Amino acid sequence: MNFPSKLKSKLKDRELGNTLRKLGEPKGLIDFSSNDYIGFSMEKSIALKSETDLKQIKHLNGSTGSRLLTGNFEIHTLLEKDLASFFKAESVLIFNSGYDANLGLLSSVPQRGDRIFYDEYSHASIRDGITLSNAKSFRFKHNDIEDLRKKLKATPSVGEDYVIVESVYSMDGDFAPIEKLVDLSVELNFKLVVDEAHSTGVFGPNGEGIVVQKQLESLVFARIHTFGKALGCHGAMIAGSSLLKEYLINFSRSFIYTTAPSPHTVLSVKNALLFLPTSKARSKLHKNISCFKENMIRFKLEDYFIESEGPIQSAVFGSPEKVKEISSRLANKGYDAKPILYPTVPLGEERIRFCIHSYNTTDEIQEVLFLLSTFV
Ligand code: PMP
């Protein structure tokens, strides 16, 4: 069967533009790339506990259906209770992924006549959710409160207004100005939604994220936490009011029309959460972030890097060829740091995105930055 020619030519364009994506498998390189910030995906004690817990479950392999049909087990309900208590939320609803959570929230909550304002660097899952919504959407400049204020005031509000940001931006690694956004939400009466994918397990006294760290949870309409990054598992949740949970159960299509998370997934998240408060990995991660920043200065690289105090440190080099070349030279020396290309980032902002982990050593951090300084 012929493959459609339009699609072939789109692939060709990617190839010509040096932006064709390909699947690769881990090659055993030193990890400056994965989202496994505190090494929980490899934590044997979590896996062993989940294995033991799983022995008590009838449906060992799968959940058999949607949560609204046959797939809602006691462990799902108990996990949501644990999560609500941990993340200091009235209610929590689990989704199969962060992508599903953003899609399900943004496609169902803002109504026709409402307005959604989103940061220009918002994750694809946020944009896709907005695309599916009947509300009008407006993009504001990255982390620019004055631009947001201007856009909120530029057209009359006839319904609800929603503003969505990421507490830590996935490609730039910088932070949203959460306190200022909360102040503005009170002043201009909008509902703030915060995607905490990259702060979950990393920030907050026990890894509860930045909103809880700043004790602002009662002023945020909804928070999205993902389990596939620092928690080392899979899936996501939305934290908010009981009414929000009830609404999502009834109207969020990415929650309703899909098989519930498997028992193994649920137990892994439950046990990751159990280990999180006492884990020493979070403080090790923060030491490594400081070490990375010190060495960035030592090797005179700071002008390339986007300012961030978090685990994502991106160095912008501005051409696909350049970042691919740097990444492949780093790989030849044993280091995995991925090139990030258009359309994930704007054209001309191609970068090497370093993810720092609790398990990176000081020597590795020093060497990877030394090498980078010789390649730029
Ligand atoms: N939001 C943000 C900010 C993300 O970076 C990601 C993952 N890249 C997601 C949502 C999606 O989460 P998941 O991988 O669980 O689908």
Side-chain angles (χ1 to χ4, degrees), residues 117-154:
F117 296 83
Y118 65 100
D119 189 284
E120 65 179 329
Y121 288 178
S122 292
H123 189 259
S125 55
I126 295 174
R127 287 160 186 267
D128 292 357
I130 291 171
T131 304
L132 290 174
S133 163
N134 288 322
K136 261 199 164 168
S137 62
F138 304 84
R139 192 170 58 174
F140 61 91
K141 286 193 196 131
H142 180 53
N143 276 348
D144 189 333
I145 291 278
E146 283 320 306
D147 190 49
L148 171 60
R149 178 195 291 278
K150 205 170 76 195
K151 290 191 168 138
L152 277 156
K153 289 183 161 178

Side-chain angles (χ1 to χ4, degrees), residues 97-100 102 123 125 166 168 170 195 197-198 226 228-229 235-236:
S97 70
Y99 187 89
D100 285 357
N102 277 331
H123 189 259
S125 55
E166 293 170 30
V168 176
S170 58
D195 179 333
H198 294 279
T226 60
K229 301 183 197 297

Side-chain angles (χ1 to χ4, degrees), residues 102-111 128-130 132-134 251-254:
N102 277 331
L103 210 71
L105 178 79
L106 294 165
S107 62
S108 68
V109 169
Q111 302 291 295
D128 292 357
I130 291 171
L132 290 174
S133 163
N134 288 322
F251 294 101
S252 175
R253 294 167 70 84
S254 63

Side-chain angles (χ1 to χ4, degrees), residues 128-355:
D128 292 357
I130 291 171
T131 304
L132 290 174
S133 163
N134 288 322
K136 261 199 164 168
S137 62
F138 304 84
R139 192 170 58 174
F140 61 91
K141 286 193 196 131
H142 180 53
N143 276 348
D144 189 333
I145 291 278
E146 283 320 306
D147 190 49
L148 171 60
R149 178 195 291 278
K150 205 170 76 195
K151 290 191 168 138
L152 277 156
K153 289 183 161 178
T155 53
S157 168
V158 287
E160 298 286 351
D161 288 335
Y162 296 88
V163 171
I164 172 138
V165 296
E166 293 170 30
S167 49
V168 176
Y169 279 87
S170 58
M171 288 302 137
D172 286 46
D174 56 352
F175 300 2
I178 294 287
E179 289 107 327
K180 287 184 184 156
L181 285 158
V182 165
D183 286 349
L184 196 66
S185 75
V186 173
E187 183 192 331
L188 297 182
N189 190 30
F190 60 77
K191 298 199 162 29
L192 184 61
V193 177
V194 184
D195 179 333
E196 297 241 42
H198 294 279
S199 47
T200 307
V202 173
F203 294 103
N206 299 299
E208 305 92 328
I210 287 182
V211 172
V212 168
Q213 183 183 42
K214 296 184 184 294
Q215 301 182 344
L216 293 170
E217 59 276 10
S218 63
L219 296 168
V220 171
F221 178 73
R223 284 173 277 152
I224 296 90
H225 290 278
T226 60
F227 309 144
K229 301 183 197 297
L231 264 56
C233 306
H234 185 251
M237 54 165 260
I238 296 177
S241 67
S242 306
L243 271 178
L244 176 64
K245 176 170 178 171
E246 190 178 3
Y247 180 83
L248 292 170
I249 290 171
N250 280 276
F251 294 101
S252 175
R253 294 167 70 84
S254 63
F255 173 81
I256 300 167
Y257 297 106
T258 191
T259 303
S262 73
H264 180 263
T265 297
V266 170
L267 294 171
S268 301
V269 176
K270 178 191 91 132
N271 291 322
L273 206 65
L274 212 59
F275 281 80
L276 202 50
T278 53
S279 167
K280 297 203 170 28
R282 201 168 38 261
S283 65
K284 187 77 193 2
L285 167 65
H286 288 286
K287 278 197 192 116
N288 282 348
I289 295 170
S290 304
C291 173
F292 191 94
K293 289 176 70 77
E294 281 157 25
N295 280 283
M296 185 194 290
I297 293 167
R298 175 176 167 203
F299 295 115
K300 301 192 172 29
L301 288 163
E302 67 270 30
D303 288 348
Y304 294 104
F305 278 89
I306 297 166
E307 176 58 31
S308 160
E309 302 299 321
I312 300 167
Q313 299 282 334
S314 280
V316 178
F317 297 104
S319 100
E321 295 79 13
K322 178 97 183 161
V323 292
K324 278 180 155 182
E325 186 207 314
I326 293 175
S327 172
S328 115
R329 291 181 73 182
L330 287 174
N332 287 338
K333 295 283 184 185
Y335 289 95
D336 185 16
K338 292 275 185 287
I340 308 289
L341 309 174
Y342 172 82
T344 304
V345 293
L347 272 178
E349 291 187 27
E350 290 82 358
R351 63 197 61 182
I352 302 284
R353 178 177 181 261
F354 291 89
C355 291

